[in-house]
């Protein structure tokens, strides 16, 4: 799954988004708890389900909402949020 996610991660980084990757074997709920505690605005989930559906899950950690979108839509959502990007 990490291999399939790399182009998307690289694109987000090149657009200026802060990206951290957790490729540990911890359960998803533990990873999401860490994200919430860290004040990270979004969690991007790219698992087997997302790969099969050709969509990416975006969890808004501030609102507690979760939706699936195309990679392009995810990028536009994140890039429109000043908390998620590096501003020059």
């Amino acid at each position: 799954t990490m291999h399939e996610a790399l182009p998307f991660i690289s694109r987000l980084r090149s657009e200026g988004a802060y990206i951290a990757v957790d490729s540990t074997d911890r359960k998803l709920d533990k990873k999401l708890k860490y994200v919430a505690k860290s004040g990270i605005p979004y969690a991007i989930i790219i698992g087997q389900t997302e790969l099969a559906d050709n969509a990416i899950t975006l969890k808004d950690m501030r609102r507690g909402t979760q939706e699936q979108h195309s990679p392009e839509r995810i990028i536009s959502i994140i890039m429109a949020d000043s908390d998620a990007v590096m501003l020059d």
Side-chain angles (χ1 to χ4, degrees):
T1 309
M2 184 61 156
H3 178 71
E4 291 92 341
L6 283 176
F8 178 69
I9 293 165
S10 295
R11 181 158 174 215
L12 275 171
R13 284 183 174 149
S14 72
E15 295 281 341
Y18 293 110
I19 301 294
V21 177
D22 186 341
S23 59
T24 65
D25 290 334
R26 291 186 300 163
K27 294 188 182 257
L28 182 60
D29 65 327
K30 298 266 188 209
K31 293 179 182 185
L32 292 174
K33 285 179 185 176
Y34 171 79
V35 171
K37 283 184 188 179
S38 300
I40 298 169
Y42 298 103
I44 298 170
I45 303 165
I46 305 173
Q48 295 302 324
T49 302
E50 288 77 15
L51 291 172
D53 294 344
N54 198 27
I56 295 172
T57 299
L58 180 69
K59 183 167 181 81
D60 185 324
M61 302 305 292
R62 297 165 292 189
R63 294 181 185 92
T65 58
Q66 180 173 308
E67 299 177 328
Q68 279 197 335
H69 296 286
S70 69
E72 291 74 25
R73 178 70 182 129
I74 298 282
I75 290 169
S76 68
I77 291 168
I78 291 173
M79 298 314 298
D81 188 338
S82 62
D83 289 339
V85 296
M86 294 178 269
L87 301 173
D88 292 332

